[in-house]
Amino acid sequence: MKKLLSTLIISTAAIFVGYWAMALPFHLFDTLTGIQMRTLFVFEILIYFLIFSAFFIIKEAKAERKEKCRRLKEKQIRRRAQRADELKGISIMDFDTAA
């Protein structure tokens, strides 16, 4: 339920922001000069680029954290296997420590 609500809110916000981003230049077309329209267009492209960059950086950070976690787990498994091999065959008071 929480994921559905979150998806609906994000979708609705995306629709309104997308409409605003597309409608704004058309509404300002009659009131702005050519230079102002170009400036607005460049500014809008920069905003899209910044948003894309933010999402890309977040995605890369998540992938990096996941990879780091995977490497640490592999390292831990290797250490445990190595320790088990070292203890194999050692017995203390007739108890086998590797068992």
Side-chain angles (χ1 to χ4, degrees), residues 29-80:
F29 189 71
D30 293 333
T31 59
L32 298 178
T33 65
I35 298 294
Q36 291 171 335
M37 284 300 291
R38 288 185 190 121
T39 305
L40 181 66
F41 177 71
V42 169
F43 182 68
E44 193 173 351
I45 295 297
L46 286 174
I47 289 173
Y48 293 149
F49 179 73
L50 288 174
I51 292 170
F52 170 76
S53 298
F55 279 105
F56 182 75
I57 289 170
I58 290 169
K59 182 180 176 184
E60 287 297 315
K62 283 182 181 179
E64 187 176 323
R65 279 196 311 269
K66 189 182 266 188
E67 177 66 22
K68 184 178 179 181
C69 183
R70 185 189 62 78
R71 282 183 289 166
L72 289 174
K73 283 184 180 181
E74 286 177 358
K75 185 177 179 181
Q76 183 181 23
I77 291 169
R78 281 195 308 269
R79 283 192 312 226
R80 285 182 181 173

Side-chain angles (χ1 to χ4, degrees), residues 76-88:
Q76 183 181 23
I77 291 169
R78 281 195 308 269
R79 283 192 312 226
R80 285 182 181 173
Q82 182 182 6
R83 183 69 178 155
D85 288 342
E86 290 172 358
L87 294 176
K88 195 178 272 185

